[in-house]
């Protein structure tokens, strides 16, 4: 419907959030649009939230063995868990702040190349699970968290 509008009033996540933004307004080379941003003082915090992703090892540990009939999916979860262990070691090596005794957190501005494959395999595994009606709230949350990070 926005194609027939002269004025759109909406939350600014429809301009800046890569998950939900109005793509057509940014893909045209000769686009001539004006955006009036109200409450712009909130934009830095909202942008930080939109462009940041947080993944917790415990979320993947909860679902790793939840679907015993799907060993490939369990393996994809195990691969993700092993990457968390690698990042934990990096955090310890680089003296990143540690959240608790077992697992800390690793902060990075760019997704390391070697982890993208594991997370992509996890997403594909989730999509296969969903196609087989293996719906689960924890699985769905992990799926969307990884998709957001990727």
């Amino acid at each position: 419907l926005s194609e027939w509008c002269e004025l759109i009033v909406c939350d600014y996540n429809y301009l800046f959030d890569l998950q939900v933004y109005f793509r057509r307004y940014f893909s045209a080379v000769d686009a001539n649009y004006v955006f009036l941003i109200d409450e712009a003082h909130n934009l830095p915090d909202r942008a930080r939230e939109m462009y940041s992703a947080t993944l917790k090892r415990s979320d993947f540990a909860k679902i790793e063995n939840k679907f015993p009939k799907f060993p490939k999916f369990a393996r994809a979860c195990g691969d993700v868990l092993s990457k968390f262990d690698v990042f934990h070691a990096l955090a310890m090596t680089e003296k990143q702040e540690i959240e608790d005794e077992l697992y800390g957190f690793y902060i990075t501005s760019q997704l390391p190349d070697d982890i993208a494959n594991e997370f992509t395999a996890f997403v594909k595994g989730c999509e296969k699970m969903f196609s087989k009606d293996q719906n689960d709230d924890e699985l769905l949350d992990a799926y969307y968290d990884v998709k957001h990070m990727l």
Side-chain angles (χ1 to χ4, degrees), residues 4-141:
W4 295 289
C5 297
E6 291 186 28
L7 174 68
I8 299 171
V9 178
C10 62
D11 190 277
Y12 45 61
N13 68 314
Y14 293 108
L15 297 176
F16 302 114
D17 189 338
L18 296 176
Q19 302 292 322
V20 297
Y21 77 108
F22 291 135
R23 284 167 179 75
R24 78 171 64 68
Y25 297 107
F26 296 96
S27 61
V29 177
D30 61 345
N32 188 15
Y33 302 107
V34 174
F35 302 105
L36 173 63
I37 309 294
D38 188 18
E39 297 287 324
H41 65 279
N42 291 323
L43 191 55
D45 290 334
R46 291 282 299 278
R48 203 172 0 267
E49 185 180 310
M50 286 182 236
Y51 294 109
S52 296
T54 301
L55 299 175
K56 296 178 184 174
R57 185 187 194 284
S58 59
D59 293 342
F60 296 92
K62 287 178 193 174
I63 60 175
E64 180 184 23
N65 298 314
K66 204 171 196 179
F67 305 96
K69 294 181 181 178
F70 301 96
K72 284 185 178 181
F73 179 73
R75 191 170 32 249
C77 285
D79 291 344
V80 168
L81 288 168
S82 68
K83 284 298 177 185
F84 273 98
D85 295 337
V86 169
F87 283 129
H88 179 254
L90 281 171
M92 296 298 288
T93 303
E94 296 178 9
K95 300 184 181 181
Q96 296 273 349
E97 187 174 342
I98 300 301
E99 185 177 0
D100 58 43
E101 293 177 5
L102 295 176
Y103 296 97
F105 56 89
Y106 181 74
I107 300 170
T108 182
S109 60
Q110 183 175 340
L111 183 64
D113 294 334
D114 63 337
I115 196 169
N117 293 335
E118 280 81 0
F119 284 119
T120 301
F122 175 80
V123 166
K124 288 179 182 178
C126 286
E127 290 168 351
K128 284 184 182 178
M129 298 290 283
F130 299 144
S131 72
K132 296 178 183 190
D133 290 328
Q134 297 298 313
N135 298 323
D136 178 86
D137 289 341
E138 291 174 335
L139 178 64
L140 194 60
D141 289 342

